[in-house]
């Protein structure tokens, strides 16, 4: 890439700075996701331990944002979380209320850790911009 003017240099610098800031934000988002998973696991009922063990987080960078996905690949995870009908002999005989472990875990994280984590991310970006 050849530089024709100071504006080209400024644009290149801005692209680099944006990418650098997003890498700091991605790292912080990964830590936030891990903390969310920890809290969701604490709210997940334990029978065999399989449902609790299978919680994962992953981060995804969009064009203007970063998304944190909390996932559980156990077939029955959504039924335990959201509730389900109880069917015997082809007839509905009741309803099992959902445990709402995902919502409860995220609420605990939001109430207890989110503000601190966001401030830490802002502090990290500030320190990096100052070269410390």
């Amino acid at each position: 890439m050849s530089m024709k003017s100071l504006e080209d240099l400024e644009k290149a610098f801005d692209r680099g700075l944006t990418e650098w800031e997003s890498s700091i934000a991605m790292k912080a988002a990964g830590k936030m996701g891990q903390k969310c998973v920890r809290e969701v696991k604490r709210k997940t009922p334990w029978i065999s331990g399989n449902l609790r063990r299978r919680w994962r987080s992953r981060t995804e960078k969009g064009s203007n944002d970063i998304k944190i996905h909390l996932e559980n690949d156990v077939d029955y995870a959504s039924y335990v979380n959201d509730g389900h009908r109880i069917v015997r002999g082809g007839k509905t005989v009741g309803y099992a209320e959902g445990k709402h472990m995902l919502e409860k875990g995220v609420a605990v994280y939001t109430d207890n850790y989110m503000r601190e984590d966001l401030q830490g991310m802002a502090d990290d970006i500030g320190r990096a911009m100052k070269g410390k």
Side-chain angles (χ1 to χ4, degrees):
M1 177 175 160
S2 67
M3 297 288 165
K4 304 257 186 224
S5 66
L6 287 176
E7 288 82 22
D8 291 341
L9 179 61
E10 182 179 355
K11 287 177 186 176
F13 179 72
D14 284 341
R15 280 192 306 271
L17 183 60
T18 302
E19 192 62 35
W20 173 67
E21 288 173 347
S22 70
S23 70
I24 292 173
M26 280 292 287
K27 186 176 178 181
K31 289 179 183 179
M32 293 167 86
Q34 290 171 353
K35 284 184 181 180
C36 277
V37 165
R38 182 182 68 207
E39 295 304 322
V40 170
K41 282 182 175 184
R42 288 180 179 166
K43 298 294 181 185
T44 301
W46 185 86
I47 295 175
S48 68
N50 188 44
L51 183 60
R52 193 178 282 184
R53 270 192 309 273
R54 302 294 287 267
W55 282 108
R56 301 286 182 261
S57 71
R58 67 179 172 85
T59 55
E60 180 180 287
K61 185 177 183 303
S63 59
N64 293 322
D65 60 359
I66 296 173
K67 295 179 183 177
I68 301 171
H69 298 273
L70 303 178
E71 303 169 331
N72 192 316
D73 61 356
V74 173
D75 293 338
Y76 54 88
S78 64
Y79 302 115
V80 174
N81 190 64
D82 301 330
H84 59 90
R85 295 180 304 140
I86 300 171
V87 178
R88 292 197 181 111
K91 294 184 181 182
T92 301
V93 297
Y95 184 77
E97 290 294 325
K99 302 298 182 184
H100 305 289
M101 63 247 181
L102 179 60
E103 293 84 355
K104 289 177 183 176
V106 170
V108 168
Y109 169 79
T110 301
D111 293 343
N112 297 325
Y113 303 107
M114 190 164 143
R115 182 179 310 257
E116 178 184 313
D117 288 346
L118 289 173
Q119 185 61 49
M121 180 176 51
D123 293 345
D124 288 346
I125 290 173
R127 276 193 297 276
M129 300 238 357
K130 291 178 183 175
K132 294 181 181 180

